[in-house]
PDB file of all heavy atoms in Angstrom:
ATOM      1  N   LEU A  20      -6.589   2.120  -7.125  1.00 94.00           N
ATOM      2  CA  LEU A  20      -5.246   1.574  -6.952  1.00 94.00           C
ATOM      3  C   LEU A  20      -4.749   1.839  -5.530  1.00 94.00           C
ATOM      4  O   LEU A  20      -4.147   0.965  -4.894  1.00 94.00           O
ATOM      5  CB  LEU A  20      -4.295   2.191  -7.975  1.00 94.00           C
ATOM      6  CG  LEU A  20      -2.830   1.756  -7.885  1.00 94.00           C
ATOM      7  CD1 LEU A  20      -2.704   0.245  -8.039  1.00 94.00           C
ATOM      8  CD2 LEU A  20      -2.002   2.465  -8.960  1.00 94.00           C
ATOM      9  N   ALA A  21      -5.010   3.040  -5.035  1.00 95.00           N
ATOM     10  CA  ALA A  21      -4.612   3.365  -3.667  1.00 95.00           C
ATOM     11  C   ALA A  21      -5.305   2.446  -2.665  1.00 95.00           C
ATOM     12  O   ALA A  21      -4.687   1.993  -1.687  1.00 95.00           O
ATOM     13  CB  ALA A  21      -4.936   4.821  -3.359  1.00 95.00           C
ATOM     14  N   ALA A  22      -6.565   2.165  -2.896  1.00 96.00           N
ATOM     15  CA  ALA A  22      -7.306   1.264  -2.013  1.00 96.00           C
ATOM     16  C   ALA A  22      -6.715  -0.135  -2.051  1.00 96.00           C
ATOM     17  O   ALA A  22      -6.592  -0.810  -1.012  1.00 96.00           O
ATOM     18  CB  ALA A  22      -8.776   1.238  -2.418  1.00 96.00           C
ATOM     19  N   SER A  23      -6.339  -0.582  -3.225  1.00 97.00           N
ATOM     20  CA  SER A  23      -5.733  -1.910  -3.377  1.00 97.00           C
ATOM     21  C   SER A  23      -4.398  -2.001  -2.638  1.00 97.00           C
ATOM     22  O   SER A  23      -4.107  -2.996  -1.962  1.00 97.00           O
ATOM     23  CB  SER A  23      -5.537  -2.212  -4.868  1.00 97.00           C
ATOM     24  OG  SER A  23      -4.905  -3.454  -5.056  1.00 97.00           O
ATOM     25  N   ILE A  24      -3.604  -0.944  -2.739  1.00 97.00           N
ATOM     26  CA  ILE A  24      -2.305  -0.919  -2.049  1.00 97.00           C
ATOM     27  C   ILE A  24      -2.507  -0.823  -0.545  1.00 97.00           C
ATOM     28  O   ILE A  24      -1.820  -1.495   0.232  1.00 97.00           O
ATOM     29  CB  ILE A  24      -1.455   0.251  -2.575  1.00 97.00           C
ATOM     30  CG1 ILE A  24      -1.071   0.001  -4.046  1.00 97.00           C
ATOM     31  CG2 ILE A  24      -0.194   0.432  -1.726  1.00 97.00           C
ATOM     32  CD1 ILE A  24      -0.337   1.156  -4.697  1.00 97.00           C
ATOM     33  N   CYS A  25      -3.460  -0.009  -0.118  1.00 97.00           N
ATOM     34  CA  CYS A  25      -3.759   0.111   1.304  1.00 97.00           C
ATOM     35  C   CYS A  25      -4.177  -1.240   1.874  1.00 97.00           C
ATOM     36  O   CYS A  25      -3.714  -1.653   2.947  1.00 97.00           O
ATOM     37  CB  CYS A  25      -4.866   1.147   1.511  1.00 97.00           C
ATOM     38  SG  CYS A  25      -5.326   1.411   3.240  1.00 97.00           S
ATOM     39  N   ALA A  26      -5.037  -1.950   1.151  1.00 98.00           N
ATOM     40  CA  ALA A  26      -5.494  -3.269   1.597  1.00 98.00           C
ATOM     41  C   ALA A  26      -4.325  -4.238   1.704  1.00 98.00           C
ATOM     42  O   ALA A  26      -4.250  -5.051   2.628  1.00 98.00           O
ATOM     43  CB  ALA A  26      -6.556  -3.802   0.633  1.00 98.00           C
ATOM     44  N   ARG A  27      -3.401  -4.144   0.763  1.00 97.00           N
ATOM     45  CA  ARG A  27      -2.254  -5.050   0.730  1.00 97.00           C
ATOM     46  C   ARG A  27      -1.383  -4.913   1.978  1.00 97.00           C
ATOM     47  O   ARG A  27      -0.825  -5.901   2.478  1.00 97.00           O
ATOM     48  CB  ARG A  27      -1.423  -4.764  -0.525  1.00 97.00           C
ATOM     49  CG  ARG A  27      -0.046  -5.394  -0.564  1.00 97.00           C
ATOM     50  CD  ARG A  27      -0.092  -6.922  -0.540  1.00 97.00           C
ATOM     51  NE  ARG A  27       1.234  -7.485  -0.655  1.00 97.00           N
ATOM     52  CZ  ARG A  27       2.128  -7.540   0.335  1.00 97.00           C
ATOM     53  NH1 ARG A  27       1.812  -7.072   1.536  1.00 97.00           N
ATOM     54  NH2 ARG A  27       3.321  -8.070   0.133  1.00 97.00           N
ATOM     55  N   TYR A  28      -1.263  -3.712   2.519  1.00 98.00           N
ATOM     56  CA  TYR A  28      -0.415  -3.491   3.683  1.00 98.00           C
ATOM     57  C   TYR A  28      -1.195  -3.534   5.000  1.00 98.00           C
ATOM     58  O   TYR A  28      -0.631  -3.282   6.062  1.00 98.00           O
ATOM     59  CB  TYR A  28       0.322  -2.164   3.554  1.00 98.00           C
ATOM     60  CG  TYR A  28       1.445  -2.210   2.540  1.00 98.00           C
ATOM     61  CD1 TYR A  28       1.332  -1.573   1.315  1.00 98.00           C
ATOM     62  CD2 TYR A  28       2.614  -2.912   2.801  1.00 98.00           C
ATOM     63  CE1 TYR A  28       2.362  -1.619   0.377  1.00 98.00           C
ATOM     64  CE2 TYR A  28       3.647  -2.971   1.875  1.00 98.00           C
ATOM     65  CZ  TYR A  28       3.508  -2.326   0.662  1.00 98.00           C
ATOM     66  OH  TYR A  28       4.528  -2.380  -0.262  1.00 98.00           O
ATOM     67  N   SER A  29      -2.478  -3.847   4.945  1.00 97.00           N
ATOM     68  CA  SER A  29      -3.291  -3.944   6.153  1.00 97.00           C
ATOM     69  C   SER A  29      -3.315  -5.376   6.671  1.00 97.00           C
ATOM     70  O   SER A  29      -2.851  -6.316   5.999  1.00 97.00           O
ATOM     71  CB  SER A  29      -4.725  -3.491   5.855  1.00 97.00           C
ATOM     72  OG  SER A  29      -5.429  -4.502   5.134  1.00 97.00           O
ATOM     73  N   ASP A  30      -3.877  -5.568   7.848  1.00 97.00           N
ATOM     74  CA  ASP A  30      -4.008  -6.910   8.410  1.00 97.00           C
ATOM     75  C   ASP A  30      -5.081  -7.730   7.697  1.00 97.00           C
ATOM     76  O   ASP A  30      -5.240  -8.920   7.984  1.00 97.00           O
ATOM     77  CB  ASP A  30      -4.333  -6.825   9.904  1.00 97.00           C
ATOM     78  CG  ASP A  30      -3.148  -6.354  10.733  1.00 97.00           C
ATOM     79  OD1 ASP A  30      -2.016  -6.308  10.183  1.00 97.00           O
ATOM     80  OD2 ASP A  30      -3.345  -6.006  11.916  1.00 97.00           O
ATOM     81  N   ALA A  31      -5.801  -7.094   6.777  1.00 97.00           N
ATOM     82  CA  ALA A  31      -6.820  -7.805   5.992  1.00 97.00           C
ATOM     83  C   ALA A  31      -6.278  -8.272   4.643  1.00 97.00           C
ATOM     84  O   ALA A  31      -7.043  -8.667   3.765  1.00 97.00           O
ATOM     85  CB  ALA A  31      -8.032  -6.899   5.787  1.00 97.00           C
ATOM     86  N   LYS A  32      -4.974  -8.264   4.470  1.00 96.00           N
ATOM     87  CA  LYS A  32      -4.368  -8.515   3.161  1.00 96.00           C
ATOM     88  C   LYS A  32      -4.634  -9.910   2.608  1.00 96.00           C
ATOM     89  O   LYS A  32      -4.489 -10.142   1.406  1.00 96.00           O
ATOM     90  CB  LYS A  32      -2.863  -8.271   3.231  1.00 96.00           C
ATOM     91  CG  LYS A  32      -2.126  -9.174   4.205  1.00 96.00           C
ATOM     92  CD  LYS A  32      -0.659  -8.776   4.309  1.00 96.00           C
ATOM     93  CE  LYS A  32       0.073  -9.624   5.341  1.00 96.00           C
ATOM     94  NZ  LYS A  32       1.486  -9.187   5.495  1.00 96.00           N
ATOM     95  N   ARG A  33      -5.004 -10.877   3.475  1.00 97.00           N
ATOM     96  CA  ARG A  33      -5.253 -12.234   2.989  1.00 97.00           C
ATOM     97  C   ARG A  33      -6.696 -12.456   2.551  1.00 97.00           C
ATOM     98  O   ARG A  33      -7.034 -13.521   2.039  1.00 97.00           O
ATOM     99  CB  ARG A  33      -4.858 -13.247   4.064  1.00 97.00           C
ATOM    100  CG  ARG A  33      -3.392 -13.157   4.470  1.00 97.00           C
ATOM    101  CD  ARG A  33      -2.962 -14.311   5.346  1.00 97.00           C
ATOM    102  NE  ARG A  33      -1.606 -14.129   5.828  1.00 97.00           N
ATOM    103  CZ  ARG A  33      -0.499 -14.342   5.114  1.00 97.00           C
ATOM    104  NH1 ARG A  33      -0.610 -14.747   3.856  1.00 97.00           N
ATOM    105  NH2 ARG A  33       0.697 -14.141   5.638  1.00 97.00           N
ATOM    106  N   LEU A  34      -7.537 -11.471   2.755  1.00 97.00           N
ATOM    107  CA  LEU A  34      -8.924 -11.582   2.296  1.00 97.00           C
ATOM    108  C   LEU A  34      -8.982 -11.359   0.788  1.00 97.00           C
ATOM    109  O   LEU A  34      -8.209 -10.583   0.231  1.00 97.00           O
ATOM    110  CB  LEU A  34      -9.797 -10.547   3.005  1.00 97.00           C
ATOM    111  CG  LEU A  34      -9.911 -10.654   4.532  1.00 97.00           C
ATOM    112  CD1 LEU A  34     -10.791  -9.523   5.074  1.00 97.00           C
ATOM    113  CD2 LEU A  34     -10.469 -12.007   4.937  1.00 97.00           C
ATOM    114  N   PRO A  35      -9.920 -12.031   0.118  1.00 97.00           N
ATOM    115  CA  PRO A  35     -10.024 -11.852  -1.343  1.00 97.00           C
ATOM    116  C   PRO A  35     -10.477 -10.442  -1.732  1.00 97.00           C
ATOM    117  O   PRO A  35     -10.056  -9.898  -2.746  1.00 97.00           O
ATOM    118  CB  PRO A  35     -11.050 -12.905  -1.762  1.00 97.00           C
ATOM    119  CG  PRO A  35     -11.822 -13.208  -0.512  1.00 97.00           C
ATOM    120  CD  PRO A  35     -10.869 -13.046   0.620  1.00 97.00           C
ATOM    121  N   VAL A  36     -11.353  -9.844  -0.901  1.00 97.00           N
ATOM    122  CA  VAL A  36     -11.842  -8.486  -1.154  1.00 97.00           C
ATOM    123  C   VAL A  36     -11.878  -7.740   0.183  1.00 97.00           C
ATOM    124  O   VAL A  36     -12.317  -8.293   1.197  1.00 97.00           O
ATOM    125  CB  VAL A  36     -13.246  -8.483  -1.786  1.00 97.00           C
ATOM    126  CG1 VAL A  36     -13.738  -7.045  -1.982  1.00 97.00           C
ATOM    127  CG2 VAL A  36     -13.243  -9.221  -3.114  1.00 97.00           C
ATOM    128  N   VAL A  37     -11.408  -6.518   0.165  1.00 97.00           N
ATOM    129  CA  VAL A  37     -11.327  -5.712   1.379  1.00 97.00           C
ATOM    130  C   VAL A  37     -12.069  -4.402   1.154  1.00 97.00           C
ATOM    131  O   VAL A  37     -11.916  -3.762   0.109  1.00 97.00           O
ATOM    132  CB  VAL A  37      -9.859  -5.418   1.752  1.00 97.00           C
ATOM    133  CG1 VAL A  37      -9.786  -4.529   2.987  1.00 97.00           C
ATOM    134  CG2 VAL A  37      -9.085  -6.709   1.965  1.00 97.00           C
ATOM    135  N   GLU A  38     -12.869  -3.998   2.152  1.00 97.00           N
ATOM    136  CA  GLU A  38     -13.539  -2.700   2.068  1.00 97.00           C
ATOM    137  C   GLU A  38     -12.619  -1.625   2.625  1.00 97.00           C
ATOM    138  O   GLU A  38     -12.239  -1.669   3.795  1.00 97.00           O
ATOM    139  CB  GLU A  38     -14.856  -2.711   2.843  1.00 97.00           C
ATOM    140  CG  GLU A  38     -15.621  -1.388   2.707  1.00 97.00           C
ATOM    141  CD  GLU A  38     -16.977  -1.416   3.385  1.00 97.00           C
ATOM    142  OE1 GLU A  38     -17.015  -1.199   4.613  1.00 97.00           O
ATOM    143  OE2 GLU A  38     -17.979  -1.651   2.688  1.00 97.00           O
ATOM    144  N   VAL A  39     -12.267  -0.673   1.783  1.00 97.00           N
ATOM    145  CA  VAL A  39     -11.364   0.411   2.164  1.00 97.00           C
ATOM    146  C   VAL A  39     -12.150   1.713   2.217  1.00 97.00           C
ATOM    147  O   VAL A  39     -12.924   2.019   1.307  1.00 97.00           O
ATOM    148  CB  VAL A  39     -10.200   0.536   1.156  1.00 97.00           C
ATOM    149  CG1 VAL A  39      -9.279   1.684   1.551  1.00 97.00           C
ATOM    150  CG2 VAL A  39      -9.426  -0.773   1.082  1.00 97.00           C
ATOM    151  N   THR A  40     -11.956   2.469   3.277  1.00 96.00           N
ATOM    152  CA  THR A  40     -12.611   3.769   3.427  1.00 96.00           C
ATOM    153  C   THR A  40     -11.688   4.864   2.912  1.00 96.00           C
ATOM    154  O   THR A  40     -10.510   4.927   3.282  1.00 96.00           O
ATOM    155  CB  THR A  40     -12.951   4.046   4.900  1.00 96.00           C
ATOM    156  OG1 THR A  40     -13.804   3.000   5.389  1.00 96.00           O
ATOM    157  CG2 THR A  40     -13.652   5.381   5.063  1.00 96.00           C
ATOM    158  N   ALA A  41     -12.223   5.719   2.052  1.00 94.00           N
ATOM    159  CA  ALA A  41     -11.469   6.858   1.520  1.00 94.00           C
ATOM    160  C   ALA A  41     -12.178   8.146   1.935  1.00 94.00           C
ATOM    161  O   ALA A  41     -13.358   8.333   1.630  1.00 94.00           O
ATOM    162  CB  ALA A  41     -11.363   6.779   0.006  1.00 94.00           C
ATOM    163  N   VAL A  42     -11.439   9.012   2.634  1.00 93.00           N
ATOM    164  CA  VAL A  42     -12.009  10.271   3.108  1.00 93.00           C
ATOM    165  C   VAL A  42     -11.270  11.426   2.440  1.00 93.00           C
ATOM    166  O   VAL A  42     -10.036  11.480   2.455  1.00 93.00           O
ATOM    167  CB  VAL A  42     -11.885  10.382   4.637  1.00 93.00           C
ATOM    168  CG1 VAL A  42     -12.458  11.709   5.117  1.00 93.00           C
ATOM    169  CG2 VAL A  42     -12.574   9.220   5.325  1.00 93.00           C
ATOM    170  N   GLY A  43     -12.042  12.343   1.841  1.00 87.00           N
ATOM    171  CA  GLY A  43     -11.408  13.487   1.204  1.00 87.00           C
ATOM    172  C   GLY A  43     -12.399  14.369   0.499  1.00 87.00           C
ATOM    173  O   GLY A  43     -13.474  13.918   0.085  1.00 87.00           O
ATOM    174  N   LYS A  44     -12.061  15.644   0.409  1.00 81.00           N
ATOM    175  CA  LYS A  44     -12.904  16.624  -0.286  1.00 81.00           C
ATOM    176  C   LYS A  44     -14.332  16.626   0.258  1.00 81.00           C
ATOM    177  O   LYS A  44     -15.307  16.731  -0.487  1.00 81.00           O
ATOM    178  CB  LYS A  44     -12.891  16.366  -1.792  1.00 81.00           C
ATOM    179  CG  LYS A  44     -11.488  16.483  -2.397  1.00 81.00           C
ATOM    180  CD  LYS A  44     -11.501  16.446  -3.904  1.00 81.00           C
ATOM    181  CE  LYS A  44     -10.093  16.655  -4.447  1.00 81.00           C
ATOM    182  NZ  LYS A  44     -10.022  16.673  -5.899  1.00 81.00           N
ATOM    183  N   GLY A  45     -14.439  16.468   1.572  1.00 82.00           N
ATOM    184  CA  GLY A  45     -15.736  16.572   2.210  1.00 82.00           C
ATOM    185  C   GLY A  45     -16.626  15.358   2.087  1.00 82.00           C
ATOM    186  O   GLY A  45     -17.821  15.439   2.400  1.00 82.00           O
ATOM    187  N   SER A  46     -16.084  14.249   1.631  1.00 86.00           N
ATOM    188  CA  SER A  46     -16.921  13.057   1.461  1.00 86.00           C
ATOM    189  C   SER A  46     -16.194  11.819   1.956  1.00 86.00           C
ATOM    190  O   SER A  46     -14.972  11.825   2.153  1.00 86.00           O
ATOM    191  CB  SER A  46     -17.307  12.873  -0.007  1.00 86.00           C
ATOM    192  OG  SER A  46     -16.155  12.631  -0.793  1.00 86.00           O
ATOM    193  N   GLU A  47     -16.959  10.738   2.154  1.00 91.00           N
ATOM    194  CA  GLU A  47     -16.402   9.450   2.553  1.00 91.00           C
ATOM    195  C   GLU A  47     -16.875   8.400   1.572  1.00 91.00           C
ATOM    196  O   GLU A  47     -18.074   8.287   1.303  1.00 91.00           O
ATOM    197  CB  GLU A  47     -16.844   9.101   3.980  1.00 91.00           C
ATOM    198  CG  GLU A  47     -16.293   7.774   4.469  1.00 91.00           C
ATOM    199  CD  GLU A  47     -16.671   7.490   5.918  1.00 91.00           C
ATOM    200  OE1 GLU A  47     -16.260   8.279   6.790  1.00 91.00           O
ATOM    201  OE2 GLU A  47     -17.384   6.489   6.165  1.00 91.00           O
ATOM    202  N   ILE A  48     -15.941   7.649   1.033  1.00 90.00           N
ATOM    203  CA  ILE A  48     -16.250   6.658   0.003  1.00 90.00           C
ATOM    204  C   ILE A  48     -15.828   5.278   0.492  1.00 90.00           C
ATOM    205  O   ILE A  48     -14.769   5.128   1.111  1.00 90.00           O
ATOM    206  CB  ILE A  48     -15.499   6.978  -1.316  1.00 90.00           C
ATOM    207  CG1 ILE A  48     -15.773   8.412  -1.772  1.00 90.00           C
ATOM    208  CG2 ILE A  48     -15.867   5.983  -2.418  1.00 90.00           C
ATOM    209  CD1 ILE A  48     -14.865   8.880  -2.890  1.00 90.00           C
ATOM    210  N   LYS A  49     -16.633   4.267   0.215  1.00 94.00           N
ATOM    211  CA  LYS A  49     -16.286   2.886   0.501  1.00 94.00           C
ATOM    212  C   LYS A  49     -15.897   2.212  -0.817  1.00 94.00           C
ATOM    213  O   LYS A  49     -16.655   2.230  -1.778  1.00 94.00           O
ATOM    214  CB  LYS A  49     -17.463   2.135   1.134  1.00 94.00           C
ATOM    215  CG  LYS A  49     -17.950   2.736   2.447  1.00 94.00           C
ATOM    216  CD  LYS A  49     -16.908   2.590   3.564  1.00 94.00           C
ATOM    217  CE  LYS A  49     -17.465   3.104   4.894  1.00 94.00           C
ATOM    218  NZ  LYS A  49     -16.503   2.951   6.007  1.00 94.00           N
ATOM    219  N   ILE A  50     -14.697   1.647  -0.835  1.00 94.00           N
ATOM    220  CA  ILE A  50     -14.178   1.028  -2.066  1.00 94.00           C
ATOM    221  C   ILE A  50     -13.917  -0.451  -1.802  1.00 94.00           C
ATOM    222  O   ILE A  50     -13.231  -0.807  -0.842  1.00 94.00           O
ATOM    223  CB  ILE A  50     -12.875   1.710  -2.516  1.00 94.00           C
ATOM    224  CG1 ILE A  50     -13.093   3.210  -2.726  1.00 94.00           C
ATOM    225  CG2 ILE A  50     -12.323   1.053  -3.786  1.00 94.00           C
ATOM    226  CD1 ILE A  50     -11.815   3.991  -2.988  1.00 94.00           C
ATOM    227  N   GLN A  51     -14.463  -1.310  -2.623  1.00 96.00           N
ATOM    228  CA  GLN A  51     -14.198  -2.742  -2.541  1.00 96.00           C
ATOM    229  C   GLN A  51     -12.918  -3.032  -3.339  1.00 96.00           C
ATOM    230  O   GLN A  51     -12.888  -2.850  -4.553  1.00 96.00           O
ATOM    231  CB  GLN A  51     -15.381  -3.538  -3.109  1.00 96.00           C
ATOM    232  CG  GLN A  51     -16.709  -3.250  -2.424  1.00 96.00           C
ATOM    233  CD  GLN A  51     -16.674  -3.559  -0.940  1.00 96.00           C
ATOM    234  OE1 GLN A  51     -16.197  -4.615  -0.522  1.00 96.00           O
ATOM    235  NE2 GLN A  51     -17.184  -2.644  -0.120  1.00 96.00           N
ATOM    236  N   ALA A  52     -11.875  -3.459  -2.633  1.00 96.00           N
ATOM    237  CA  ALA A  52     -10.561  -3.581  -3.289  1.00 96.00           C
ATOM    238  C   ALA A  52      -9.978  -4.974  -3.091  1.00 96.00           C
ATOM    239  O   ALA A  52     -10.130  -5.595  -2.026  1.00 96.00           O
ATOM    240  CB  ALA A  52      -9.603  -2.541  -2.715  1.00 96.00           C
ATOM    241  N   THR A  53      -9.282  -5.446  -4.117  1.00 97.00           N
ATOM    242  CA  THR A  53      -8.484  -6.667  -4.026  1.00 97.00           C
ATOM    243  C   THR A  53      -7.071  -6.271  -3.615  1.00 97.00           C
ATOM    244  O   THR A  53      -6.482  -5.394  -4.252  1.00 97.00           O
ATOM    245  CB  THR A  53      -8.436  -7.397  -5.377  1.00 97.00           C
ATOM    246  OG1 THR A  53      -9.767  -7.734  -5.773  1.00 97.00           O
ATOM    247  CG2 THR A  53      -7.601  -8.664  -5.282  1.00 97.00           C
ATOM    248  N   PRO A  54      -6.515  -6.865  -2.563  1.00 98.00           N
ATOM    249  CA  PRO A  54      -5.152  -6.485  -2.152  1.00 98.00           C
ATOM    250  C   PRO A  54      -4.155  -6.600  -3.298  1.00 98.00           C
ATOM    251  O   PRO A  54      -4.166  -7.577  -4.058  1.00 98.00           O
ATOM    252  CB  PRO A  54      -4.842  -7.483  -1.036  1.00 98.00           C
ATOM    253  CG  PRO A  54      -6.190  -7.814  -0.456  1.00 98.00           C
ATOM    254  CD  PRO A  54      -7.129  -7.839  -1.630  1.00 98.00           C
ATOM    255  N   ALA A  55      -3.323  -5.587  -3.450  1.00 97.00           N
ATOM    256  CA  ALA A  55      -2.371  -5.527  -4.568  1.00 97.00           C
ATOM    257  C   ALA A  55      -1.364  -6.666  -4.490  1.00 97.00           C
ATOM    258  O   ALA A  55      -0.939  -7.085  -3.410  1.00 97.00           O
ATOM    259  CB  ALA A  55      -1.644  -4.186  -4.541  1.00 97.00           C
ATOM    260  N   THR A  56      -0.981  -7.159  -5.646  1.00 96.00           N
ATOM    261  CA  THR A  56       0.055  -8.187  -5.732  1.00 96.00           C
ATOM    262  C   THR A  56       1.433  -7.551  -5.660  1.00 96.00           C
ATOM    263  O   THR A  56       1.580  -6.327  -5.825  1.00 96.00           O
ATOM    264  CB  THR A  56      -0.062  -8.960  -7.049  1.00 96.00           C
ATOM    265  OG1 THR A  56       0.181  -8.040  -8.136  1.00 96.00           O
ATOM    266  CG2 THR A  56      -1.446  -9.573  -7.210  1.00 96.00           C
ATOM    267  N   ASN A  57       2.445  -8.365  -5.447  1.00 95.00           N
ATOM    268  CA  ASN A  57       3.819  -7.853  -5.435  1.00 95.00           C
ATOM    269  C   ASN A  57       4.188  -7.235  -6.777  1.00 95.00           C
ATOM    270  O   ASN A  57       4.943  -6.264  -6.845  1.00 95.00           O
ATOM    271  CB  ASN A  57       4.802  -8.967  -5.090  1.00 95.00           C
ATOM    272  CG  ASN A  57       4.733  -9.375  -3.631  1.00 95.00           C
ATOM    273  OD1 ASN A  57       4.255  -8.605  -2.795  1.00 95.00           O
ATOM    274  ND2 ASN A  57       5.184 -10.575  -3.319  1.00 95.00           N
ATOM    275  N   GLY A  58       3.664  -7.790  -7.849  1.00 95.00           N
ATOM    276  CA  GLY A  58       3.933  -7.258  -9.179  1.00 95.00           C
ATOM    277  C   GLY A  58       3.399  -5.846  -9.344  1.00 95.00           C
ATOM    278  O   GLY A  58       4.072  -4.969  -9.915  1.00 95.00           O
ATOM    279  N   ILE A  59       2.192  -5.609  -8.845  1.00 95.00           N
ATOM    280  CA  ILE A  59       1.608  -4.267  -8.921  1.00 95.00           C
ATOM    281  C   ILE A  59       2.416  -3.293  -8.064  1.00 95.00           C
ATOM    282  O   ILE A  59       2.728  -2.178  -8.494  1.00 95.00           O
ATOM    283  CB  ILE A  59       0.137  -4.303  -8.465  1.00 95.00           C
ATOM    284  CG1 ILE A  59      -0.710  -5.046  -9.504  1.00 95.00           C
ATOM    285  CG2 ILE A  59      -0.393  -2.886  -8.248  1.00 95.00           C
ATOM    286  CD1 ILE A  59      -2.157  -5.228  -9.099  1.00 95.00           C
ATOM    287  N   LEU A  60       2.767  -3.727  -6.862  1.00 96.00           N
ATOM    288  CA  LEU A  60       3.557  -2.861  -5.996  1.00 96.00           C
ATOM    289  C   LEU A  60       4.874  -2.474  -6.660  1.00 96.00           C
ATOM    290  O   LEU A  60       5.279  -1.307  -6.649  1.00 96.00           O
ATOM    291  CB  LEU A  60       3.840  -3.561  -4.663  1.00 96.00           C
ATOM    292  CG  LEU A  60       2.639  -3.900  -3.778  1.00 96.00           C
ATOM    293  CD1 LEU A  60       3.099  -4.645  -2.527  1.00 96.00           C
ATOM    294  CD2 LEU A  60       1.874  -2.653  -3.394  1.00 96.00           C
ATOM    295  N   GLY A  61       5.546  -3.470  -7.234  1.00 93.00           N
ATOM    296  CA  GLY A  61       6.834  -3.216  -7.869  1.00 93.00           C
ATOM    297  C   GLY A  61       6.746  -2.291  -9.069  1.00 93.00           C
ATOM    298  O   GLY A  61       7.671  -1.515  -9.327  1.00 93.00           O
ATOM    299  N   SER A  62       5.646  -2.341  -9.792  1.00 94.00           N
ATOM    300  CA  SER A  62       5.528  -1.531 -11.015  1.00 94.00           C
ATOM    301  C   SER A  62       5.292  -0.058 -10.723  1.00 94.00           C
ATOM    302  O   SER A  62       5.565   0.798 -11.568  1.00 94.00           O
ATOM    303  CB  SER A  62       4.399  -2.070 -11.893  1.00 94.00           C
ATOM    304  OG  SER A  62       3.150  -1.966 -11.236  1.00 94.00           O
ATOM    305  N   PHE A  63       4.784   0.248  -9.541  1.00 95.00           N
ATOM    306  CA  PHE A  63       4.499   1.642  -9.201  1.00 95.00           C
ATOM    307  C   PHE A  63       5.409   2.204  -8.120  1.00 95.00           C
ATOM    308  O   PHE A  63       5.449   3.415  -7.906  1.00 95.00           O
ATOM    309  CB  PHE A  63       3.039   1.792  -8.741  1.00 95.00           C
ATOM    310  CG  PHE A  63       2.022   1.582  -9.823  1.00 95.00           C
ATOM    311  CD1 PHE A  63       1.348   0.375  -9.934  1.00 95.00           C
ATOM    312  CD2 PHE A  63       1.756   2.579 -10.741  1.00 95.00           C
ATOM    313  CE1 PHE A  63       0.409   0.175 -10.926  1.00 95.00           C
ATOM    314  CE2 PHE A  63       0.820   2.407 -11.741  1.00 95.00           C
ATOM    315  CZ  PHE A  63       0.140   1.186 -11.843  1.00 95.00           C
ATOM    316  N   ARG A  64       6.159   1.350  -7.434  1.00 96.00           N
ATOM    317  CA  ARG A  64       6.960   1.807  -6.296  1.00 96.00           C
ATOM    318  C   ARG A  64       8.089   2.741  -6.736  1.00 96.00           C
ATOM    319  O   ARG A  64       8.739   2.515  -7.758  1.00 96.00           O
ATOM    320  CB  ARG A  64       7.552   0.611  -5.546  1.00 96.00           C
ATOM    321  CG  ARG A  64       8.344   1.002  -4.313  1.00 96.00           C
ATOM    322  CD  ARG A  64       8.961  -0.215  -3.648  1.00 96.00           C
ATOM    323  NE  ARG A  64       7.981  -0.974  -2.902  1.00 96.00           N
ATOM    324  CZ  ARG A  64       7.779  -2.285  -3.015  1.00 96.00           C
ATOM    325  NH1 ARG A  64       8.490  -2.980  -3.869  1.00 96.00           N
ATOM    326  NH2 ARG A  64       6.885  -2.887  -2.277  1.00 96.00           N
TER     327      ARG A  64
END
């Protein structure tokens, strides 16, 4: 979900799928994410 929200606010937001990098706990993860819709943003904001 975080990757989807990150993609939504990036300059890649119009792409159907965005690769988001997540770094934490000593590792790096690549997540394929669909940019979040306004509905998703509103439900968690």
Side-chain angles (χ1 to χ4, degrees):
L20 178 58
S23 177
I24 293 175
C25 181
R27 167 62 177 77
Y28 286 107
S29 76
D30 289 348
K32 61 185 177 183
R33 301 190 186 282
L34 298 179
V36 178
V37 178
E38 183 176 83
V39 179
T40 302
V42 179
K44 299 189 176 182
S46 64
E47 180 176 298
I48 306 168
K49 300 293 184 179
I50 303 172
Q51 303 301 313
T53 300
T56 64
N57 288 339
I59 290 176
L60 297 177
S62 63
F63 292 100
R64 183 183 284 129

